[in-house]
Amino acid sequence: MSKVKRIVVLGASGSIGSSTLRVIRAHPDKLKLVGISCHSNVKRLIEIANEFDVPNLCLSNEAALNEYSEPRDALEKRNFCAGASGLETLASLPEVDIVLVATVGTAALKPTLCALEHKHHVAIANKEILVMAGEFVMKSARRNNVRLLPVDSEHNAIFQCLEAMEPNHVENIVLTASGGPFLRSSLSELKAVTLDQALKHPNWSMGPKITIDSASMANKGLELIEAHWLFGMPSSKIEVVIHPQSIIHSMVRAIDGSVIAQLSPPLMTFAIQHALFYPDRHPPTDQGMDFSKPISMDLEPVDNEKFPCLNLARSAIDQGGGMPAVFNAANEIAVEAFIKGKIGFIQIAEVIDQTLGKINIPTVDVLEDVLIADKEARRVASVLVQS
């Protein structure tokens, strides 16, 4: 009988967290939830704790507790912590086998490094920390001899494909992109895009920030940078193709021209389950591919004029140093401004482009350099948004 894996989920109330709970719910004899965090949803934190009998809880936005007026018995009878330090407490619990990082933004960086330093395997669904500090995160994983297991469907697919190929046989990796809601829109139509339109992804149910990133393809730019660090590939060896159906999650091309692809329905449970059980495999949480029915799988090149964020991300990789962190921070500020109605949709890429042009950080020697790059990029992008 296989050992029960003990899981901590940082960001249990978000879309990735909810899918992770479905996987754990489907495999109660193999996966045990021993710690969870939510940002500010106290009610959901308590609901999850009660359903899964979770002993360790964290509310990362401590102020939200003051606004919660319902009974707190579930918190008081468990190990409860709060704030940024609370996330690090969960990440370093000694009894943990794997920490799944599903929180968004840069707040996940220190808890992730903390988990790695405590020799826990990390399943990573947070793009920002690899984009910002991929060099430091990968070094920590290697130094502590633990795995960084990708949960993004594209990177998880590449991870699986690479296992079927000798490293010296790999020519390049191919990320697939759905194209989002504006794949067939013209440049002039993009100028009039509303927030509601940007939030309607054709295939995936995700949070607002990542949904808008998908619409602008900044999300695929972030995934380019992630893939660069996860798989040690230069930007020239990372190809992106449009695949509207989101069934082929990504591919790896061999030096002899053969291509290996990973397929599954557009549901996050497949990648999450693979990461949590790795290297084992078990029956799926959701039904897999059904080839008894017709399935369309289209592939086409990216329109880089319509989606400039992709090449801006390549530029950030090629410049190196703190520039990927600059790309990420500028995008966050621009997306927030779009959500608040301060800028138009196409101006997201303009803010990123201009921020990259105003900042030059070609090297980062310590983690603090990355945080400085992030802070400066946010300042510059905020000024650009205001102007």
Side-chain angles (χ1 to χ4, degrees):
M1 183 175 178
S2 60
K3 174 177 173 280
V4 174
K5 281 197 172 181
R6 295 158 298 184
I7 316 294
V8 161
V9 178
L10 304 182
S13 59
S15 59
I16 296 293
S18 297
S19 293
T20 303
L21 297 181
R22 293 190 62 236
V23 174
I24 295 172
R25 205 176 278 123
H27 301 278
D29 58 329
K30 299 179 181 71
L31 301 171
K32 169 63 179 171
L33 197 56
V34 297
I36 55 170
S37 81
C38 294
H39 180 58
S40 56
N41 193 336
V42 183
K43 183 178 180 180
R44 186 63 184 135
L45 184 74
I46 291 173
E47 287 174 351
I48 298 168
N50 286 338
E51 179 185 353
F52 293 91
D53 192 23
V54 187
N56 301 285
L57 312 179
C58 173
L59 190 72
S60 55
N61 178 13
E62 193 169 2
L65 194 60
N66 299 327
E67 301 169 8
Y68 185 74
S69 57
E70 296 182 35
R72 305 180 187 182
D73 298 356
L75 300 180
E76 293 167 359
K77 66 183 181 182
R78 292 175 168 86
N79 300 318
F80 176 73
C81 52
S85 62
L87 293 175
E88 294 178 41
T89 298
L90 284 192
S92 59
L93 289 170
E95 67 270 27
V96 174
D97 294 304
I98 186 166
V99 177
L100 190 144
V101 181
T103 51
V104 297
T106 56
L109 178 55
K110 288 186 177 178
T112 299
L113 291 171
C114 189
L116 294 171
E117 293 299 328
H118 282 81
K119 303 189 185 306
H120 298 326
H121 299 300
V122 171
I124 188 164
N126 176 296
K127 290 178 170 55
E128 292 87 354
I129 56 177
L130 276 176
V131 171
M132 279 182 62
E135 179 180 356
F136 302 97
V137 173
M138 297 308 294
K139 280 182 178 177
S140 178
R142 288 191 294 267
R143 183 172 62 250
N144 291 289
N145 195 30
V146 290
R147 287 192 176 273
L148 201 66
L149 298 158
V151 168
D152 265 355
S153 63
E154 296 84 355
H155 300 93
N156 182 267
I158 293 166
F159 183 89
Q160 294 191 55
C161 292
L162 286 173
E163 286 206 305
M165 200 179 295
E166 293 294 330
N168 62 327
H169 291 168
V170 176
E171 175 61 29
N172 70 334
I173 59 181
V174 185
L175 292 169
T176 56
S178 70
F182 308 128
L183 177 60
R184 305 302 173 203
S185 300
S186 66
L187 265 174
S188 59
E189 287 172 329
L190 290 182
K191 294 178 181 178
V193 161
T194 67
L195 177 60
D196 284 345
Q197 289 173 324
L199 289 174
K200 290 178 180 175
H201 195 283
N203 299 339
W204 299 96
S205 175
M206 306 175 290
K209 197 267 182 183
I210 192 171
T211 304
I212 293 168
D213 282 349
S214 181
S216 70
M217 286 197 70
N219 188 51
K220 207 54 52 176
L222 294 169
E223 289 175 10
L224 260 173
I225 302 169
E226 275 189 283
H228 164 68
W229 288 114
L230 280 168
F231 309 114
M233 293 282 184
S235 70
S236 60
K237 292 281 189 179
I238 306 171
E239 190 177 347
V240 177
V241 298
I242 297 291
H243 170 53
Q245 293 85 4
S246 298
I247 292 171
I248 304 170
H249 293 288
S250 277
M251 300 172 276
V252 173
R253 191 195 315 271
I255 56 175
D256 62 2
S258 298
V259 176
I260 294 177
Q262 186 270 335
L263 282 66
S264 64
L267 296 167
M268 285 306 302
T269 52
F270 290 93
I272 291 167
Q273 179 167 322
H274 177 267
L276 292 184
F277 280 124
Y278 184 83
D280 296 329
R281 291 185 185 264
H282 294 282
T285 301
D286 292 298
Q287 182 179 346
M289 298 297 299
D290 181 0
F291 293 112
S292 67
K293 301 172 183 176
I295 300 173
S296 295
M297 289 183 275
D298 302 317
L299 295 165
E300 60 187 87
V302 177
D303 183 340
N304 286 300
E305 184 182 3
K306 199 164 71 176
F307 299 111
C309 289
L310 203 53
N311 278 339
L312 292 174
R314 287 190 190 278
S315 174
I317 295 172
D318 295 341
Q319 291 177 70
M323 300 312 288
V326 172
F327 174 92
N328 175 68
N331 179 61
E332 284 192 14
I333 294 296
V335 170
E336 182 182 6
F338 171 65
I339 290 172
K340 292 180 178 178
K342 294 180 178 179
I343 64 172
F345 179 75
I346 64 169
Q347 290 176 301
I348 292 173
E350 292 173 9
V351 170
I352 297 170
D353 189 14
Q354 292 175 35
T355 304
L356 287 168
K358 290 177 179 291
I359 298 175
N360 182 31
I361 305 175
T363 59
V364 287
D365 298 318
V366 293
L367 188 58
E368 185 62 28
D369 293 339
V370 174
L371 301 178
I372 291 170
D374 175 78
K375 184 176 180 180
E376 177 63 7
R378 290 175 190 278
R379 184 192 68 79
V380 170
S382 297
V383 171
L384 289 167
V385 164
Q386 294 302 323
S387 64

